Amino acid sequence: MAKLQDEYKEQTPSRFVNEQFGDTNVYFQNAKSLLTKATGFIAAYDFTLNPYRGCQYGCSYCYAAAFSPNTQMRKDWGKWVIYKENAAKILGKELEKWYRKNPNQPPRIYMSSVTDPYQPLESKHQLTRSLLEVMLDYRPTLVIQTRSPIITRDIDYLQRFQRLRINMSITTGSEAVRKDFEPRSPSIKARFNAINKIKQSIDSSKGFIPKISITVTPLLPTLVNDEDDFIERLAIADRVVIQDFHKSDSRSLVASTRQEAEEFKHKYSWWYDQGKYNYIRFKEKLLSRLSGVEIKEGKDGFGYE
């Protein structure tokens, strides 16, 4: 059993239980609230919902590392997760409160903004699944942001949401690039297979078919030999969202691209030396080849509609 390291004690809950999941330290805490008012980039929603704090995928570019409890945990992004032990109970209470004030207005919920609700730990603890079960009784508009094939486990629940969009993050069409920028994340093939399984498993006469977005955010390089195939495979979605890197900022509590990703950009200088041109060129290819797919950029792409 892992012990909480001294440098992690600042701003961490006073009551916690530790376990190890692979090389990740997992800390359990009771959350005071689960629904957070949505602002800024996802202000179109009423709330964000983050079942976990921290993320095992630990992608090099992830802005969410900025919201770590302390500086050391920000440096160790990907190696720790805080599990919100009472999440389902709290969510039920908060949704009941919402409906007392808004009896005819289902809430709009974005899950998740600073974690992946289907990171590997979810396969063991099924926290996100328990939250879906709670939400089924309250009929929200729900958007799920993930890069994980584990989401297919919950198709039985997903097909019961009348207003659901699934955003699958696929930032590059090249495995070599993925392994550099996000080596702990699922393969590109596994993510496309997950989308296929969701679309093929839901019978429209028996359930609701979710909207599907592929979020290429941030847009990473795709090797020349992989680009045409990647664009062709994106046609499985009804929306493709592209976005460049967040600006880098070393301050805490600032959504920014981490230094680890900035360093990888040097390896792909053939792309980033003409970054603006390559972004525009890729966007134009999407527009010309994916005629039946919405192509959106940045904030405009993250709404439900």
Side-chain angles (χ1 to χ4, degrees):
M1 183 175 291
K3 292 185 177 180
L4 190 66
Q5 299 177 41
D6 289 341
E7 61 266 34
Y8 284 0
K9 289 184 178 178
E10 179 187 353
Q11 299 181 30
T12 54
S14 58
R15 190 182 79 81
F16 55 83
V17 178
N18 300 328
E19 68 175 38
Q20 286 240 321
F21 191 100
D23 66 350
T24 304
N25 285 334
V26 184
Y27 310 113
F28 290 66
Q29 76 172 72
N30 279 325
K32 293 181 179 179
S33 63
L34 203 67
L35 296 176
T36 302
K37 183 179 179 181
T39 59
F41 203 78
I42 48 176
Y45 298 88
D46 296 300
F47 302 109
T48 62
L49 194 169
N50 292 283
Y52 302 96
R53 190 173 184 185
C55 183
Q56 289 171 277
Y57 291 137
C59 299
S60 64
Y61 49 77
C62 187
Y63 66 86
F67 306 113
S68 302
N70 57 56
T71 302
Q72 186 60 46
M73 293 180 91
R74 181 177 185 174
K75 291 178 180 177
D76 290 347
W77 182 249
K79 300 295 182 69
W80 59 272
V81 174
I82 298 173
Y83 170 99
K84 298 179 181 180
E85 198 169 14
N86 61 339
K89 181 178 180 180
I90 294 296
L91 179 61
K93 290 181 177 179
E94 290 180 323
L95 289 173
E96 286 179 10
K97 181 179 178 180
W98 168 269
Y99 271 104
R100 285 197 297 270
K101 294 182 177 179
N102 310 277
N104 300 310
Q105 183 182 338
R108 298 162 296 177
I109 298 174
Y110 187 93
M111 183 175 76
S112 298
S113 57
V114 291
T115 191
D116 194 312
Y118 285 102
Q119 60 188 289
L121 187 66
E122 171 64 20
S123 64
K124 176 181 179 180
H125 289 288
Q126 300 194 30
L127 178 59
T128 295
R129 183 172 175 83
S130 72
L131 299 179
L132 291 176
E133 186 173 15
V134 171
M135 285 188 280
L136 281 171
D137 291 333
Y138 294 93
R139 309 179 311 281
T141 293
L142 178 64
V143 173
I144 300 175
Q145 182 78 49
T146 186
R147 65 189 66 238
S148 174
I150 297 173
I151 191 173
T152 60
R153 179 203 63 194
D154 292 339
I155 288 173
D156 58 332
Y157 282 178
L158 299 176
Q159 67 183 351
R160 294 169 61 187
F161 284 87
Q162 188 168 357
R163 290 174 58 82
L164 171 66
R165 178 177 288 279
I166 296 171
N167 289 355
M168 181 64 72
S169 179
I170 307 177
T171 54
T172 173
S174 298
E175 272 295 298
V177 177
R178 179 198 66 79
K179 289 177 181 178
D180 277 338
F181 282 93
E182 43 178 272
R184 299 163 66 92
S185 71
S187 70
I188 297 166
K189 180 179 179 181
R191 300 183 216 186
F192 275 114
N193 286 346
I195 297 171
N196 272 312
K197 185 173 181 178
I198 291 168
K199 295 190 73 169
Q200 293 172 5
S201 299
I202 299 178
D203 184 338
S204 61
S205 66
K206 298 178 181 178
F208 300 103
I209 297 175
K211 299 176 183 288
I212 301 289
S213 295
I214 295 177
T215 53
V216 192
T217 57
L219 172 62
L220 301 180
T222 292
L223 303 180
V224 174
N225 291 340
D226 297 327
E227 190 172 77
D228 288 343
D229 179 65
F230 182 42
I231 292 174
E232 183 178 335
R233 296 181 77 183
L234 291 173
I236 194 173
D238 57 75
R239 177 185 296 169
V240 173
V241 187
I242 59 173
Q243 177 186 319
D244 207 347
F245 277 104
H246 288 275
K247 293 182 179 180
S248 296
D249 195 314
S250 61
R251 293 176 296 163
S252 61
L253 301 180
V254 174
S256 62
T257 295
R258 299 163 66 217
Q259 185 59 36
E260 288 90 335
E262 293 294 336
E263 292 170 0
F264 278 122
K265 289 170 72 173
H266 293 297
K267 179 176 180 178
Y268 296 95
S269 58
W270 57 269
W271 172 276
Y272 289 108
D273 284 352
Q274 300 183 70
K276 186 174 182 180
Y277 166 79
N278 284 317
Y279 179 95
I280 293 172
R281 181 186 60 81
F282 187 79
K283 175 187 171 183
E284 289 176 346
K285 279 192 173 184
L286 295 180
L287 290 168
S288 65
R289 298 186 188 182
L290 299 179
S291 58
V293 179
E294 280 186 306
I295 309 300
K296 295 200 172 188
E297 295 181 84
K299 182 178 179 180
D300 290 341
F302 283 86
Y304 169 78
E305 299 295 350

